[in-house]
Amino acid sequence: MNIVVIGKSGQLARELQQLLPESVSFLGRDDIDLVNSERLFSTLGALAPQAIINASAYTAVDKAESEPEAAHLINCDGVENLARYCKSTNTFMVHVSTDYVFNGHKGVPYMPDDTIEPQGVYGRTKAEGEKALLKILPEQSCLLRTAWVYSVHGNNFVKTMLTLMAQKPQLGVIDDQIGTPTWARGLAQACVFAAQNCTKGVFHWTDEGVASWYDFACAIQELALQKGLLKSAISILPIPSSQYPTPAKRPPYSVLDKTSARQAFSTIQPQHWRSQLAKMLDAL
């Protein structure tokens, strides 16, 4: 199947490179202009994909608060242009969104059809991208929301924690934000399945289980010590979000319900976040 991946250097794109054959085209910012629809149509037209996986996004959550235009260009305008291309060529599109489209106050796992109410610029621009996709391409797209993504590539919470745990005698980590860590490898597998099977609809895909950032940090240290990635343990203290203010609001509870995804993605199933973390640390 002729698949084109939008994105080249991000965590998800790097994992997709491990799963897809060398013949698949990965288009970075130097290869495709998501904002210029004429150039985008020309670039993709030459490749004539049967499916597109959009693994590109503006993901700097706090920076987006001071760069709303830049976030909107990639997270909304770019998605809209890709959807229009797919509409005109009968191409299937897989698009990845985020738990940040929800306000985080529901208290139980969010369903794919729950009302979205983003709290910051990043979440709003991702929500606008979702709306554009579902308006233009409802019958030829798979919208996958995910959360707390990490991998061996790029900058992420796991690698930051490992660095800090090796340097500092003590860490304070937020314990009142609840979600689900997600290894980018599992998310990449879901994207490939959706593209190859044209799995239409809105779905949630994270690893299984629930954790606070504090729980996640404790697990990172425990497993890293077992695997020899850290030499000694440090004290990790739970702290409230109020002690670590950020420019952007985070949803306090953003666990995503994956019931429909488990049914639709029949040959792959989400794995518990601790086992996925162990696999990532082995790879690291």
Side-chain angles (χ1 to χ4, degrees):
M1 186 177 189
N2 184 12
I3 297 174
V4 166
V5 177
I6 308 299
K8 186 184 286 185
S9 58
Q11 296 184 91
L12 177 56
R14 295 285 292 276
E15 293 294 343
L16 285 165
Q17 288 171 18
Q18 307 296 314
L19 299 176
L20 291 166
E22 291 184 4
S23 59
V24 170
S25 297
F26 286 78
L27 305 180
R29 64 187 65 184
D30 295 331
D31 308 305
I32 189 169
D33 188 342
L34 295 179
V35 179
N36 186 312
S37 59
E38 187 176 334
R39 280 191 231 161
L40 180 146
F41 273 59
S42 176
T43 301
L44 293 174
L47 295 169
Q50 294 164 282
I52 290 173
I53 298 174
N54 184 24
S56 69
Y58 183 110
T59 57
V61 176
D62 289 321
K63 197 175 180 183
E65 295 297 313
S66 58
E67 292 186 354
E69 296 86 1
H72 190 275
L73 284 174
I74 299 172
N75 292 344
C76 182
D77 293 349
V79 176
E80 182 174 344
N81 287 334
L82 286 171
R84 292 193 185 283
Y85 170 83
C86 290
K87 176 77 171 177
S88 70
T89 57
N90 197 34
T91 304
F92 192 81
M93 180 171 164
V94 180
H95 175 63
V96 179
S97 192
T98 172
D99 57 326
Y100 278 62
V101 300
F102 298 115
N103 66 20
H105 298 298
K106 185 182 178 186
V108 295
Y110 281 94
M111 306 297 291
D113 60 354
D114 276 342
T115 301
I116 59 176
E117 189 185 349
Q119 300 296 291
V121 170
Y122 168 68
R124 282 199 298 274
T125 58
K126 291 295 287 184
E128 289 163 3
E130 287 189 11
K131 291 174 183 176
L133 176 71
L134 296 175
K135 180 180 179 181
I136 297 166
L137 207 65
E139 300 301 317
Q140 291 169 237
S141 64
C142 178
L143 171 61
L144 280 177
R145 295 194 189 107
T146 191
W148 296 25
V149 177
Y150 66 91
S151 78
V152 299
H153 310 290
N155 300 315
N156 55 69
F157 184 79
V158 175
K159 292 171 73 177
T160 298
M161 286 297 104
L162 290 173
T163 298
L164 293 174
M165 288 168 183
Q167 296 174 345
K168 295 183 175 293
Q170 179 175 291
L171 279 181
V173 182
I174 291 170
D175 71 344
D176 57 2
Q177 291 176 17
I178 309 299
T180 306
T182 304
W183 187 26
R185 177 74 54 84
L187 176 60
Q189 291 169 340
C191 289
V192 172
F193 180 97
Q196 292 177 337
N197 295 279
C198 295
T199 309
K200 180 188 73 174
V202 179
F203 301 97
H204 290 163
W205 190 278
T206 64
D207 291 339
E208 293 285 17
V210 177
S212 68
W213 290 110
Y214 169 76
D215 297 326
F216 193 16
C218 290
I220 291 166
Q221 175 167 257
E222 179 186 335
L223 291 170
L225 286 167
Q226 291 176 12
K227 297 174 185 299
L229 291 169
L230 292 173
K231 294 180 180 178
S232 58
I234 66 168
S235 175
I236 304 174
L237 304 177
I239 63 171
S241 301
S242 58
Q243 287 189 26
Y244 191 77
T246 56
K249 285 184 180 179
R250 267 73 172 166
Y253 181 95
S254 62
V255 178
L256 303 177
D257 188 284
K258 295 175 287 293
T259 303
S260 60
R262 290 190 207 102
Q263 295 167 350
F265 294 71
S266 53
T267 60
I268 59 170
Q269 293 293 307
Q271 304 298 309
H272 193 274
W273 67 265
R274 272 190 68 103
S275 65
Q276 294 288 73
L277 174 61
K279 292 173 188 175
M280 178 273 192
L281 292 175
D282 284 338
L284 191 63

